[in-house]
Amino acid sequence: MTTQEIAQTLVKLCSDGKFYEAIETLYSNDIVSMEAGAPPGGSRESKGLDAVKAKPSGGARITKFHSTLVEGPLVAGAHFAVTFKMEVTFKPQAKRFQMEEVAFTKSPTAKIVYEEFFYNM
């Protein structure tokens, strides 16, 4: 797949709420993922597909998604950006809030090899 095709597929899957399917089908086994912040004592960086799947912010385990609007992609060579506007509940605190996130992604081959998130909550 081209970077454009990967980006469009990511937007489609995430728009449909299929975040784990996006990870399973589009991410390299050697993915590096950088969060905007880290939990106390934790790291912003996750390396490898298993580590990305296990991230504490990882979807349905601790977060309930009420709505997600995915915009983009904006593609430039092997890189692309996607924006997410979400309403979620953080299950451990039963706290519902809205957040906006920008994901910058690198896909020089047929898989996503790097992603970095920037967000406000």
Side-chain angles (χ1 to χ4, degrees):
M1 277 197 278
T2 66
T3 300
Q4 181 73 41
E5 292 168 332
I6 290 169
Q8 289 172 323
T9 302
L10 179 74
V11 168
K12 171 71 173 128
L13 290 171
C14 291
S15 293
D16 292 343
K18 298 178 180 177
F19 300 102
Y20 286 109
E21 185 176 333
I23 292 168
E24 286 286 337
T25 59
L26 300 175
Y27 284 36
S28 164
N29 286 332
D30 299 319
I31 180 78
V32 174
S33 180
M34 296 290 291
E35 288 292 334
S43 173
R44 293 181 52 222
E45 182 178 75
S46 298
K47 289 184 178 181
L49 193 56
D50 290 337
V52 169
K53 290 180 194 176
K55 285 197 293 189
S57 60
R61 290 187 311 278
I62 63 169
T63 307
K64 179 179 180 182
F65 292 86
H66 303 287
S67 65
T68 303
L69 173 64
V70 184
E71 297 176 324
L74 177 60
V75 178
H79 299 84
F80 65 92
V82 175
T83 62
F84 298 87
K85 296 177 182 175
M86 300 172 280
E87 185 166 349
V88 300
T89 296
F90 183 61
K91 292 177 184 178
Q93 297 174 347
K95 179 182 176 188
R96 188 169 176 157
F97 59 95
Q98 294 181 353
M99 68 180 287
E100 293 182 25
E101 178 175 75
V102 177
F104 291 99
T105 306
K106 182 176 181 182
S107 180
T109 61
K111 297 282 186 170
I112 295 170
V113 298
Y114 181 85
E115 67 181 359
E116 187 163 359
F117 297 99
F118 301 89
Y119 48 82
N120 79 3
M121 298 192 294

